[in-house]
Amino acid sequence: MIHYTPLSDYDIIEDDVSSYEKHQTMTINGKMCRVEQLDDGSYQLVQLLSTDPQDYLNQQYLPGTILTNGLST
């Protein structure tokens, strides 16, 4: 994928690899999502991975949603 931007690479890509170690892909109600594991064991939705535009209108898949046991709260 090509990304055209006036920003430098360092502004877009983080140098700290440890921030990506907590991220994983999870299926939530049949939809693929990128989540980040929090210190208390719950997960925070980071990104919805879908090709269906209607999925992005669903409030359940908003970035920042806290998930416990794969269910949104």
Side-chain angles (χ1 to χ4, degrees), residues 19-33:
S19 65
Y20 294 103
E21 291 175 351
K22 292 183 178 181
H23 288 208
Q24 54 186 299
T25 304
M26 180 183 289
T27 303
I28 302 169
N29 296 332
K31 308 294 181 192
M32 294 294 294
C33 298

Side-chain angles (χ1 to χ4, degrees), residues 41-54:
S42 62
Y43 294 91
Q44 182 177 17
L45 184 67
V46 175
Q47 180 183 17
L48 173 64
L49 304 169
S50 176
T51 57
D52 185 359
Q54 291 296 318

